[in-house]
Amino acid sequence: MKTALAPRFYETKRFKEKAKGTAVTFLLLLGSIVVLAPLWWMISTSLKSPEEIAQYPPTLIPNDFHFSNYMEAWQTAPFTRWAFNTFFIAACGTLGSVLVNSLVAYSFAKIRFKGRNALFVLVLSTMLIPGFVTMVPQYILFSKLGWLNTYLPLIVPAFLGSAFFIFLLRQFMMTIPNELIEAAYLDGANHLQIWWHIMIPLTKPALITVAIFSFNGAWNDLLGPLLYINDENLYTLQIGLQTFKGTVQTQWHYLMAMSVTVLLPVVLLFFFFQRYFIEGSNISSGTKG
């Protein structure tokens, strides 16, 4: 009678699981390097002198760290004023986006009315329209309203809703039991009170996700301010970065220093709220506390 041979070490379940984990870790590490390489190059360039930037072959780590590039770049133009302008636009747009989109999403998720599904499909169909198609009509409209060279064209559209945000919040609200809405309705609450006192607290992760997207989009917007803002005192940071790019020479050390500075608030925002962002992206977590 033949005895069964012991499996070789590379045929064992433990070895296969360990090899799979190692392979996944390696692929994630490789992907992280690819993603972070441009960021590292930007930070490295921001700490170099103009002479070192022009060197060939380029250096990955600065020979001398010029941290003064950040302060000098900030002082070359009224970046403090531009930072305030950018934050004001982003904050107002984010507030409007969260309130309006959540209110519209609540109506599609929890209020029954005739033609609700057809209207929801119509709202989603607006996502198929490229932004460049509506750019000229919007400019003409804002021009007729006398809103050029003001912040209104950059803030008011956020209060008109976004199909993507409405869809995201609506799907999240659909996971909330209808019994909560019915109980509040029987207690005498109207839809605005239900939306404010029940839906807003329960959809906090999704609302934070919408807020992060909205703030990031408004903070990094370049095309909008370029179209509607002419006064230098009303410039945003994205327009301000263009001051380092000349027709003959570009001040790369200052440009990269300010690019890192402009990027920092967005990175910190995601870092502190990443837990809510991940939870808000999961539409099945609407009933979680």
Side-chain angles (χ1 to χ4, degrees):
M1 184 175 180
K2 296 182 179 180
T3 57
L5 297 176
R8 297 179 177 86
F9 75 95
Y10 54 83
E11 295 177 344
T12 61
K13 183 178 180 181
R14 181 180 179 183
F15 177 82
K16 291 181 179 179
E17 291 179 352
K18 189 174 182 180
K20 182 179 179 181
T22 303
V24 171
T25 302
F26 175 77
L27 292 176
L28 291 176
L29 180 61
L30 183 62
S32 300
I33 293 175
V34 173
V35 172
L36 294 176
L39 179 62
W40 170 257
W41 182 258
M42 182 172 64
I43 297 175
S44 176
T45 305
S46 69
L47 297 173
K48 295 178 181 178
S49 63
E51 294 75 18
E52 187 176 357
I53 294 175
Q55 284 183 5
Y56 186 84
T59 56
L60 294 177
I61 301 177
N63 296 326
D64 295 316
F65 290 86
H66 296 267
F67 292 99
S68 59
N69 289 343
Y70 286 84
M71 185 59 65
E72 293 173 1
W74 189 271
Q75 294 175 348
T76 56
F79 277 100
T80 302
R81 172 66 183 179
W82 297 344
F84 174 80
N85 297 342
T86 308
F87 179 79
F88 176 77
I89 295 172
C92 292
T94 300
L95 178 63
S97 180
V98 169
L99 293 178
V100 172
N101 288 305
S102 63
L103 182 60
V104 176
Y106 167 73
S107 66
F108 281 125
K110 298 301 180 182
I111 301 177
R112 297 184 179 275
F113 56 90
K114 188 176 181 180
R116 181 183 66 171
N117 294 333
L119 185 59
F120 181 64
V121 171
L122 180 62
V123 171
L124 292 183
S125 65
T126 60
M127 298 175 62
L128 302 175
I129 304 176
F132 292 102
V133 175
T134 60
M135 186 183 304
V136 174
Q138 282 184 346
Y139 184 88
I140 296 175
L141 174 63
F142 294 144
S143 177
K144 296 293 184 181
L145 293 174
W147 288 2
L148 297 184
N149 204 32
T150 67
Y151 293 147
L152 291 176
L154 306 176
I155 297 176
V156 171
F159 286 82
L160 302 179
S162 166
F164 173 73
F165 293 152
I166 292 173
F167 171 78
L168 178 65
L169 292 171
R170 185 252 188 188
Q171 297 304 109
F172 196 93
M173 291 180 180
M174 291 286 287
T175 63
I176 298 176
N178 292 328
E179 289 76 10
L180 294 175
I181 311 300
E182 294 172 357
Y185 190 74
L186 291 176
D187 287 339
N190 56 41
H191 285 298
L192 283 177
Q193 292 172 327
I194 295 173
W195 164 70
W196 182 256
H197 294 288
I198 297 179
M199 302 304 292
I200 292 295
L202 291 179
T203 57
K204 182 174 65 174
L207 293 176
I208 292 178
T209 301
V210 171
I212 291 175
F213 278 128
S214 301
F215 186 89
N216 185 40
W219 185 268
N220 294 319
D221 185 22
L222 172 63
L223 184 59
L226 277 177
L227 284 175
Y228 303 114
I229 303 299
N230 299 319
D231 188 355
E232 183 176 336
N233 292 325
L234 301 179
Y235 279 0
T236 61
L237 288 173
Q238 297 300 327
I239 298 180
L241 291 177
Q242 307 306 311
T243 59
F244 301 117
K245 299 175 64 176
T247 57
V248 179
Q249 183 181 8
T250 299
Q251 298 172 300
W252 290 109
H253 56 310
Y254 289 159
L255 178 60
M256 293 301 173
M258 286 309 305
S259 297
V260 173
T261 304
V262 172
L263 179 64
L264 187 59
V266 178
V267 174
L268 293 177
L269 181 68
F270 178 79
F271 178 79
F272 286 111
F273 295 100
Q274 59 178 323
R275 179 172 68 88
Y276 297 102
F277 178 80
I278 296 172
E279 186 178 349
S281 301
N282 181 13
I283 62 174
S284 64
S285 60
T287 56
K288 296 182 180 180

